[in-house]
Amino acid sequence: MKILGPTSNSFISQRLKLHYVDWGNPDAPPLILQHGGRDHCRSWDWVAEELRDDWHVICPDLRGHGDSAWSADGNYSFNAYVYDFAQLVHALGYDQVSIVAHSLGGNITARFAGLYPHKVAKYVNIEGLGLTPQDLHERALPMPDLFREWIDKKRNAAARAPRRYPTLEAAYRRMIEENDYLTEEQARHLTVHGASRNEDGTFSWKFDPYLNVWPFSDLTPEQIQALWASIACPTLLLWGKDSFFPSPAQDGRLSHFQQARLVEFENAGHWLHHDQFGRFMGELRAFL
């Protein structure tokens, strides 16, 4: 009997119960698909269905996303995310994994791959290198100003309740507004798995509103680039030509990787794995 969908599982990281789905085939090589910000593990369903016969596909929900617990103190620093990912690999007992990651997930897993190069066999990063050096320079403020701004934003987030939609259809319409490349089928699937019903019958997105407050401190660009340079496995960077993030070939970020190849997708935005699914799967299968 063919299993139609994945099984839900959980692990503990820093006292948080974090969720992941397992697509079966445990004797195959492990492949972790890591979603991006304000997204969830079921956004990979189409990819996982294509790869499940050849790989043991694991799709985790980041803390504060999907069906993972929200951080009680709103700790969504990169250090916490990277620890969570390292804990997942440790908890599952893998000596080595291959990784496909999008956006925020790419930021997280690129650091993991640089910290533990021997643990990553192949690495695919979809628009997950963060802000460009120029953007970081333009946004730089004195530390006291950054600290005060962060406190104000955290306080505002604490006072803001998650947005409520009267119906699942209304949430779906909002999903379509955010990305007009999505098909109706894709948008409905992402909405069904990305929203939960409130006690009053309305629907809200599953992600924690505190995710909208980015940490005010992080590694320096030089430290992050040093981690990229430590990635030892074959690396594929994928970029949408219509994305709001500029290509790493334009600002020098590509040069920090030992052995990375960049592929840019026409008629695709930031979610190119949805926007150009057929081409994406072709590139992914050829690389893996």
Side-chain angles (χ1 to χ4, degrees):
M1 182 179 69
K2 184 177 180 181
I3 299 175
L4 297 180
T7 57
S8 291
N9 299 269
S10 62
F11 69 105
I12 302 299
S13 178
Q14 302 172 71
R15 301 180 181 176
L16 286 183
K17 186 176 182 180
L18 303 183
H19 174 257
Y20 68 93
V21 294
D22 186 328
W23 284 85
N25 200 10
D27 294 329
L31 175 66
I32 300 178
L33 308 181
Q34 182 61 74
H35 69 77
R38 298 193 297 177
D39 212 334
H40 52 81
C41 68
R42 300 304 299 271
S43 66
W44 291 111
D45 280 7
W46 299 280
V47 179
E49 287 174 351
E50 293 282 331
L51 299 177
R52 65 186 302 180
D53 291 336
D54 300 313
W55 296 85
H56 182 197
V57 179
I58 301 291
C59 304
D61 277 324
L62 296 171
R63 59 169 54 205
H65 294 74
D67 293 313
S68 285
W70 293 4
S71 173
D73 62 353
N75 180 12
Y76 296 109
S77 68
F78 277 106
N79 290 349
Y81 282 130
V82 175
Y83 182 94
D84 292 342
F85 191 87
Q87 179 64 11
L88 171 67
V89 175
H90 173 74
L92 295 177
Y94 294 138
D95 293 326
Q96 193 174 60
V97 299
S98 292
I99 301 170
V100 180
H102 174 239
S103 196
L104 172 62
N107 275 272
I108 295 161
T109 54
R111 298 181 190 206
F112 174 85
L115 288 168
Y116 300 101
H118 60 288
K119 286 186 172 291
V120 184
K122 290 191 175 182
Y123 181 53
V124 180
N125 184 301
I126 307 168
E127 298 213 3
L129 300 183
L131 297 176
T132 68
Q134 181 179 355
D135 287 336
L136 291 170
H137 177 73
E138 291 176 352
R139 297 186 183 197
L141 294 171
M143 178 54 70
D145 292 342
L146 288 172
F147 211 144
R148 283 189 291 267
E149 181 182 69
W150 176 79
I151 289 173
D152 290 341
K153 288 182 177 179
K154 291 278 277 190
R155 186 174 292 129
N156 290 336
R160 189 167 54 243
R163 182 173 179 179
R164 293 173 181 255
Y165 298 87
T167 63
L168 202 57
E169 181 72 15
Y172 153 76
R173 292 296 173 192
R174 176 60 177 163
M175 175 76 70
I176 285 287
E177 289 175 12
E178 284 291 303
N179 186 353
D180 54 10
Y181 277 110
L182 289 175
T183 66
E184 286 198 9
E185 177 193 2
Q186 288 173 324
R188 289 191 185 281
H189 182 87
L190 294 171
T191 301
V192 166
H193 291 286
S196 57
R197 189 187 295 269
N198 299 308
E199 189 173 359
D200 63 358
T202 61
F203 292 85
S204 294
W205 300 118
K206 291 181 178 179
F207 63 81
D208 186 349
Y210 272 65
L211 292 170
N212 294 320
V213 183
W214 288 98
F216 68 91
S217 63
D218 190 20
L219 300 178
T220 66
E222 293 75 19
Q223 290 170 328
I224 295 171
Q225 291 159 6
L227 288 175
W228 295 344
S230 297
I231 299 174
C233 66
T235 300
L236 178 65
L237 304 180
L238 301 179
W239 233 261
K241 284 199 169 182
D242 296 332
S243 174
F244 44 76
F245 280 139
S247 167
Q250 300 172 1
D251 50 48
R253 287 178 294 170
L254 180 61
S255 64
H256 294 288
F257 291 84
Q258 291 185 37
Q259 46 178 329
R261 181 169 64 93
L262 173 67
V263 177
E264 296 180 314
F265 283 55
E266 298 279 357
N267 301 315
H270 183 57
W271 289 266
L272 63 88
H273 51 305
H274 296 325
D275 303 343
Q276 292 290 337
F277 179 74
R279 184 185 173 190
F280 168 74
M281 288 306 306
E283 293 284 355
L284 184 59
R285 283 188 178 280
F287 177 75
L288 294 175

